[in-house]
Amino acid sequence: GEEVAQTPKHLVRGEGQKAKLYCAPIKGHSYVFWYQQVLKNEFKFLISFQNENVFDETGMPKERFSAKCLPNSPCSLEIQATKLEDSAVYFCASSQLKGGELFFGEGSRLTVL
Amino acid sequence: AQRVTQPEKLLSVFKGAPVELKCNYSYSGSPELFWYVQYSRQRLQLLLRHISRESIKGFTADLNKGETSFHLKKPFAQEEDSAMYYCALRDRSGTYKYIFGTGTRLKVLA
C-alpha cells in the first residue's frame, strides 16, 4: 500500500490480558520500526526489522513484549499479560532504505484497565 | 547518552511573527538531525533534514555542532503552521534508529 497501515486504531484490555497490534509497511519498504508513546511524551524506540529479521531490539522490554515481521503478513507487536503502564500509543514506521525517511502509521492506542 | 531535548512543550505566537522551536542534542559522533511534524488529525511526517539544507514551507534549521543545536525557524508564522513538532536524531552507529524529543506544540494565533 501507499501508506503504513496500523490496526486496530484502539484496543482496550484488562490488566493481565494479551494485546496484539499489527502494522503493514509501505510496499517495497524493507525496514519497520516500532515506537511507544506514553501520554504524548517522547517516542520510545522498541524494535526494528529488516524484512523479517530483527535489526535492533535494544528498546524491547525483555519480558512480555515480542514482535515479528513474517513474509507476506503484516508485522505484529504482542504484549503478553499487559500492565497499566503499557497504556500508550504504539506507532509503526517503515523506510525503504537503511537510514531512509521514516513513514509513520496513524498509531494504535492501547488502553489497559 | 544519546538524547534530544526540546525545552518548550508549547509555543504560542501571533500570525506573521517569527518562530523558533528549540532543539538540543547530545550524541557522540557525527549526528544526523531531522524535524518531523504532526498536523491535527494527520500522521507524523518528515518536515526537513539537516543534510539537505533545504527550506520547507518556509522553515529552515541549521545544525550548530558547537552548541549541539538544531533549532527550527520561520520568519513569518502562518496559522496553518500550528502543529506538533518533533526534533529527531538518527543513530548512525549501525542501527539507524531515530531518537525523538518530547515535541513542541506550536500554536499560531490569528
Side-chain angles (χ1 to χ4, degrees):
Chain A
E2 296 291 324
E3 292 183 323
V4 175
Q6 287 189 248
T7 55
K9 283 193 186 315
H10 302 280
L11 187 62
V12 180
R13 286 289 178 265
E15 213 175 355
Q17 291 186 313
K18 184 173 75 174
K20 196 164 185 178
L21 310 174
Y22 297 91
C23 168
I26 293 172
K27 192 175 179 183
H29 282 198
S30 303
Y31 294 87
V32 171
F33 297 77
W34 283 99
Y35 284 86
Q36 178 195 55
Q37 188 186 36
V38 177
L39 292 177
K40 296 197 173 185
N41 288 322
E42 65 185 277
F43 290 78
K44 179 183 177 241
F45 169 77
L46 295 176
I47 190 168
S48 62
F49 288 84
Q50 180 182 12
N51 297 311
E52 61 266 28
N53 304 307
V54 174
F55 194 57
D56 178 0
E57 58 182 347
T58 53
M60 280 288 266
K62 296 295 181 194
E63 299 172 353
R64 303 187 301 108
F65 282 64
S66 62
K68 291 179 190 175
C69 278
L70 300 175
N72 303 313
S73 296
C75 297
S76 64
L77 176 69
E78 187 168 351
I79 310 172
Q80 302 285 344
T82 53
K83 297 184 177 181
L84 296 177
E85 61 258 33
D86 298 332
S87 295
V89 181
Y90 292 83
F91 287 95
C92 174
S94 69
S95 68
Q96 189 176 24
L97 304 169
K98 184 165 67 175
E101 178 182 346
L102 284 185
F103 291 83
F104 279 83
E106 293 182 303
S108 291
R109 180 178 296 279
L110 172 65
T111 302
V112 181
L113 303 174
Chain B
Q2 302 153 359
R3 192 173 186 86
V4 175
T5 303
Q6 293 180 252
E8 303 139 328
K9 276 195 181 296
L10 172 65
L11 183 64
S12 296
V13 300
F14 284 102
K15 179 181 169 182
V19 171
E20 183 179 52
L21 300 170
K22 295 192 188 314
C23 172
N24 289 89
Y25 66 90
S26 78
Y27 183 70
S28 55
S30 185
E32 205 169 351
L33 276 296
F34 302 80
W35 278 97
Y36 277 79
V37 61
Q38 189 171 27
Y39 300 102
S40 179
R41 302 183 195 283
Q42 293 188 27
R43 298 157 188 256
L44 194 63
Q45 58 188 282
L46 178 66
L47 180 63
L48 54 80
R49 66 191 86 189
H50 92 269
I51 55 171
S52 53
R53 302 182 68 82
E54 57 199 343
S55 172
I56 303 291
K57 299 185 179 183
F59 284 97
T60 58
D62 290 317
L63 179 61
N64 185 323
K65 291 187 180 179
E67 296 182 358
T68 60
S69 68
F70 188 57
H71 303 326
L72 184 67
K73 299 177 185 179
K74 184 169 182 177
F76 308 104
Q78 304 299 314
E79 287 181 77
E80 55 265 30
D81 297 328
S82 295
M84 197 73 188
Y85 290 81
Y86 293 92
C87 183
L89 177 154
R90 183 159 66 197
D91 183 351
R92 300 169 82 175
S93 65
T95 63
Y96 291 88
K97 68 172 180 256
Y98 285 70
I99 299 159
F100 286 85
T102 49
T104 298
R105 180 167 297 284
L106 174 65
K107 283 191 178 178
V108 181
L109 309 169

